[in-house]
Amino acid sequence: MKKTILGFIALIITTGQIIAQDSCSKFYPLTEGSSFEYTSYNKKGKEDGVINYTISEVRSEGAATAATFDMKYTDKKGKEVFATDYSFTCENGLVKIDYESLFPSQMMQQYSEMGLEMDISGTDIELPNDLEVGQELSDANVSMAMNMSGIKMNVSVDQTDRKVEKKETITTPAGSFECYLLTENSTAKTMGATIETKSKLWLAEGIGMIKQETYKSNGNLMSSTELTKFTK
């Protein structure tokens, strides 16, 4: 279970930073019906799975605007691994993503039926509109306290040293895009194990995440994800 939880948190950290723009956010979409396809690859560049998103709802919540994403992840054989939805809010040009909403309800229900109690907390990921080269972004984290029949396990992931490194053009099967390159460090801890990774994230105005690469602490590539299709 430990490996499953850590692997899933690694995935939601990626998927929680994905997509486009409207009048509130340059990097996240608020247009119902927009869809995006991302293909993930292993360290050898072989396809590992596909993530599909559709924006199913846009609504007002007081002074903020909120959007709901329907997300489906399929493995390299085309088998659906899970499907879920999650929301984010945008207010005054600042996007915030609620980590708890990223966890698939199917997975949460399955663990609940197994007798697992889970408490999720954290600091939302924030992405402002006014990105500039050299800018430092706020840290983020997510923590889970789990209890099954008296056996307790805590899992935490910290995202630190988030920076805007530079602007450059990135090409994927979906096209060529002028992007901001964001870098960060992640530290995952559970049951005495610590996993440290570094990541690069390329964001384009009007689209959002174009590509992401994750590296071990020694600099070796672990995985990558890139935009392969989108409709707006």
Side-chain angles (χ1 to χ4, degrees):
M1 181 181 294
K2 177 177 72 173
K3 183 177 180 180
T4 300
I5 293 292
L6 281 177
F8 181 72
I9 290 178
L11 177 62
I12 66 172
I13 285 175
T14 298
T15 59
Q17 303 181 76
I18 284 178
I19 317 184
Q21 63 107 148
D22 86 315
S23 57
C24 181
S25 172
K26 293 179 181 179
F27 300 101
Y28 285 78
L30 294 178
T31 304
E32 291 183 0
S34 296
S35 63
F36 301 78
E37 177 190 273
Y38 292 86
T39 302
S40 59
Y41 305 90
N42 62 22
K43 62 183 181 181
K44 296 182 178 180
K46 295 183 178 181
E47 184 175 329
D48 219 14
V50 175
I51 309 165
N52 285 283
Y53 295 83
T54 300
I55 304 162
S56 58
E57 182 185 13
V58 177
R59 60 194 180 277
S60 297
E61 295 183 354
T65 301
T68 298
F69 291 77
D70 292 338
M71 181 179 77
K72 180 175 69 173
Y73 178 70
T74 55
D75 63 20
K76 59 186 177 182
K77 296 181 179 179
K79 180 181 178 181
E80 183 176 313
V81 178
F82 65 80
T84 188
D85 60 69
Y86 69 92
S87 299
F88 70 80
T89 59
C90 183
E91 185 174 2
N92 298 323
L94 181 67
V95 165
K96 292 186 177 182
I97 301 168
D98 178 6
Y99 259 123
E100 187 169 358
S101 74
L102 291 174
F103 285 80
S105 55
Q106 294 175 355
M107 185 185 77
M108 299 295 285
Q109 182 178 354
Q110 179 184 8
Y111 285 154
S112 178
E113 292 172 350
M114 293 167 56
L116 176 67
E117 299 176 0
M118 185 180 299
D119 181 46
I120 304 170
S121 61
T123 303
D124 296 340
I125 297 175
E126 295 184 354
L127 183 69
N129 279 338
D130 55 344
L131 294 182
E132 297 180 354
V133 175
Q135 182 178 1
E136 296 185 359
L137 304 177
S138 299
D139 293 344
N141 66 76
V142 60
S143 299
M144 291 188 299
M146 291 167 281
N147 187 341
M148 178 181 284
S149 302
I151 301 175
K152 298 181 180 180
M153 181 173 70
N154 295 321
V155 180
S156 67
V157 177
D158 294 308
Q159 294 172 257
T160 59
D161 298 321
R162 300 177 65 219
K163 300 176 183 178
V164 183
E165 294 288 348
K166 59 182 178 179
K167 292 186 74 174
E168 61 182 355
T169 299
I170 292 294
T171 299
T172 76
S176 295
F177 308 90
E178 184 178 6
C179 300
Y180 288 94
L181 170 59
L182 279 60
T183 59
E184 68 176 45
N185 297 329
S186 294
T187 303
K189 296 181 179 179
T190 182
M191 296 180 66
T194 299
I195 301 174
E196 296 183 350
T197 59
K198 300 177 181 292
S199 68
K200 296 180 179 180
L201 173 68
W202 287 267
L203 289 174
E205 293 186 15
I207 302 295
M209 191 186 93
I210 302 301
K211 186 175 181 178
Q212 184 174 44
E213 295 177 342
T214 302
Y215 297 83
K216 294 180 180 179
S217 57
N218 62 8
N220 291 337
L221 180 67
M222 296 175 62
S223 63
S224 63
T225 302
E226 65 180 11
L227 180 68
T228 45
K229 294 179 184 179
F230 73 98
T231 59
K232 296 170 61 179

